[in-house]
Amino acid sequence: MALTRRARRRLLILTVSLLVIAGLGVGAWFLQQSVKDARALEARSAGLAAAAEGDWETAMRELSLAVARDQEDLEALLVFAEA
């Protein structure tokens, strides 16, 4: 059974729409990851600065965010352990 011109056009529109939606979803995921990484870097800087000043409560709060995102950051882990 051959597809009519109208059916082919509808299939093309459906396929393109699904690809666009999938692309937007992937793009949103990458954007979210980028925002989380940026927030973790800010938290790391703020936590290390707070620890240097002796504000251990703020250091713990900020470094917990940074350590949760990057468990390989040895400096942040050591300061977090001190706090």
Side-chain angles (χ1 to χ4, degrees), residues 18-52:
L18 290 175
L19 288 173
V20 167
I21 290 170
L24 289 174
V26 169
W29 182 81
F30 276 110
L31 178 64
Q32 181 184 22
Q33 297 304 313
S34 174
V35 168
K36 285 182 179 181
D37 288 341
R39 174 63 183 119
L41 285 175
E42 290 173 10
R44 180 186 188 278
S45 298
L48 292 176

